[in-house]
Amino acid sequence: MNVLTVTFNPALDLTVQAPSWHPGQVNVAAAAQTDAGGKGVNVAALLADWTRQSGEPLQVSASGFLGTGNAGPFEALFRERGIQDAFVRVAGETRLGLKIVDPEAGSTTDFNLPGVQVSAAQLDGLLGQLRDLAGTQDAAVLAGSLPPGVPAETYARVVAALRQSGVPFVAADTSGEALRRLLAAPTLPHLLKPNIHELEVALGRELPTDADRLAAARELLERGAEWVALSLGEEGAWLVWAGGAVKAVPPQVDVVSTVGAGDAMVAGLVSARLAGLGPAEALSRATAFAAGNITRLGAQLPPHDELMALHRQVRLQKGC
Ligand SMILES: Nc1ncnc2c1ncn2[C@@H]1O[C@H](COP(=O)(O)OP(=O)(O)OP(=O)(O)O)[C@@H](O)[C@H]1O
Ligand SMILES: [Mg+2]
């Protein structure tokens, strides 16, 4: 099975461990580490981890834009995990993403920089490449923000192109204006995974109750989505499909970094779909991926036994 991830705006993530830090003060940091990241890169890394530990045969390719100035850590990650490097290179440096993790408070504070400028010609180059790759993919995942120079309607445009090319499962995980435009477009992806805040902003209304949330997800199903995963942080996530809705409550885990919890959820859902699992089983797997990823720095799954133990602790509740 071939999976393509697209990260328009990857980031070199600098994670600083700073127990009990306070803004506006001099703080002592315990450790720092740099990881090649960005949402689609994380999904690719987690899918590659999964294929190694489960034996489910996935060939993962990663595309998007990468600055030539600091591509080394990305290329090393792709080599290490056996990911096909399909990134279009652009002049300049891929942005730095700063994450400050407070293990005492169990919190992560993110600073996201804007990213390298992309020209219209470079965007056309990427879109052409995606069209060429689409014919051989069993799934495609578009994830993350858009860099300067890439118009907000790009998600809607690429999702439509991939679905028209016949990619059997197209997933999208973005926010802000890109998500708003995608949700308003005539062609939705098969899978959407907003968190509750992102969905509220994109729809322009608050969704305080389960009934509001399920109704909002069902509007997206009516317009062509197949699975809507609505994540709620440590409270869990809903998965809504034409046949029903299920909520998964994650086990309690020791939080090392919540960076990439959503990406792990997307990787779990996509791998489950490709393995032919139904929505409830898929959400259960995805919740274990997310909880497991939280116990690690960077995008990585825990060893198989630990992941399976988490999977057994996920609680599923039926929605109405
Ligand atoms: N503290 C936690 N403990 C256990 N599981 C968690 C915790 N936080 C998040 N999760 C799991 O991760 C899933 C995704 O989390 P969340 O809703 O925060 O995604 P997100 O906001 O999209 O994250 P990201 O920053 O990666 O985009 C949740 O549905 C839940 O299953
Ligand atoms: Mg997210």
Side-chain angles (χ1 to χ4, degrees), residues 98-190:
L98 175 63
K99 327 266 176 203
I100 306 178
V101 175
D102 181 345
E104 302 294 324
S107 70
T108 304
T109 307
D110 279 45
F111 295 88
N112 292 326
L113 287 126
V116 283
Q117 182 76 32
V118 172
S119 69
Q122 286 166 330
L123 179 58
D124 282 347
L126 176 64
L127 298 182
Q129 184 228 48
L130 296 179
R131 259 182 242 113
D132 290 345
L133 288 172
T136 54
Q137 301 304 315
D138 298 291
V141 179
L142 314 177
S145 60
L146 295 170
V150 175
E153 65 263 21
T154 301
Y155 261 86
R157 204 176 147 198
V158 177
V159 163
L162 292 173
R163 283 197 68 153
Q164 275 152 21
S165 304
V167 178
F169 195 60
V170 178
D173 179 8
T174 189
S175 59
E177 191 56 16
L179 180 60
R180 198 183 70 75
R181 302 255 186 136
L182 176 60
L183 298 189
T187 310
L188 294 190
H190 301 94

Side-chain angles (χ1 to χ4, degrees), residues 13-17 31-35 97 99-101 257 259 297:
D13 288 332
L14 172 63
T15 307
V16 178
Q17 297 268 5
Q33 115 177 25
T34 308
D35 294 291
K99 327 266 176 203
I100 306 178
V101 175
S257 160
V259 174
L297 262 192

Side-chain angles (χ1 to χ4, degrees), residues 249-276:
V249 179
Q252 277 212 339
V253 291
D254 288 332
V255 177
V256 173
S257 160
T258 55
V259 174
D263 310 331
M265 178 151 269
V266 171
L269 289 168
V270 170
S271 68
R273 173 75 175 221
L274 292 176

Side-chain angles (χ1 to χ4, degrees), residues 39 193 195 231-234 236-237 250-251 253 260-263 265 287 290 294:
K39 289 183 185 298
K193 201 236 51 84
N195 65 33
S231 67
L232 310 163
E234 65 186 318
V253 291
D263 310 331
M265 178 151 269
T287 301
I294 282 172

Side-chain angles (χ1 to χ4, degrees), residues 3-291:
V3 190
L4 172 69
T5 75
V6 184
T7 317
F8 296 99
N9 202 15
L12 205 48
D13 288 332
L14 172 63
T15 307
V16 178
Q17 297 268 5
S20 307
W21 76 282
H22 294 287
Q25 292 185 13
V26 175
N27 294 284
V28 175
Q33 115 177 25
T34 308
D35 294 291
K39 289 183 185 298
V41 172
N42 292 343
V43 173
L46 291 157
L47 286 171
D49 262 8
W50 175 247
T51 193
R52 278 197 189 172
Q53 66 167 256
S54 70
E56 283 179 13
L58 300 176
Q59 175 57 58
V60 185
S61 303
S63 184
F65 296 112
L66 211 50
T68 47
N70 55 355
F74 291 90
E75 290 162 353
L77 174 80
F78 301 150
R79 265 196 310 276
E80 228 169 72
R81 310 246 183 147
I83 295 166
Q84 205 91 38
D85 179 359
F87 269 90
V88 171
R89 301 304 197 268
V90 295
E93 297 216 325
T94 297
R95 72 198 169 119
L96 201 67
L98 175 63
K99 327 266 176 203
I100 306 178
V101 175
D102 181 345
E104 302 294 324
S107 70
T108 304
T109 307
D110 279 45
F111 295 88
N112 292 326
L113 287 126
V116 283
Q117 182 76 32
V118 172
S119 69
Q122 286 166 330
L123 179 58
D124 282 347
L126 176 64
L127 298 182
Q129 184 228 48
L130 296 179
R131 259 182 242 113
D132 290 345
L133 288 172
T136 54
Q137 301 304 315
D138 298 291
V141 179
L142 314 177
S145 60
L146 295 170
V150 175
E153 65 263 21
T154 301
Y155 261 86
R157 204 176 147 198
V158 177
V159 163
L162 292 173
R163 283 197 68 153
Q164 275 152 21
S165 304
V167 178
F169 195 60
V170 178
D173 179 8
T174 189
S175 59
E177 191 56 16
L179 180 60
R180 198 183 70 75
R181 302 255 186 136
L182 176 60
L183 298 189
T187 310
L188 294 190
H190 301 94
L191 168 65
L192 282 156
K193 201 236 51 84
N195 65 33
I196 180 67
H197 175 68
E198 290 163 346
L199 186 61
E200 286 180 336
V201 169
L203 295 178
R205 64 179 201 266
E206 297 205 342
L207 303 166
T209 68
D210 280 343
D212 297 326
R213 294 164 182 183
L214 295 181
R218 287 190 173 116
E219 284 167 26
L220 302 176
L221 300 181
E222 275 165 26
R223 305 211 6 264
E226 284 185 16
W227 287 1
V228 178
L230 177 57
S231 67
L232 310 163
E234 65 186 318
E235 202 192 305
W238 281 107
L239 184 66
V240 188
W241 71 102
V246 68
K247 185 179 182 179
V249 179
Q252 277 212 339
V253 291
D254 288 332
V255 177
V256 173
S257 160
T258 55
V259 174
D263 310 331
M265 178 151 269
V266 171
L269 289 168
V270 170
S271 68
R273 173 75 175 221
L274 292 176
L277 301 185
E281 249 314 297
L283 183 64
S284 179
R285 176 191 285 193
T287 301
F289 273 37

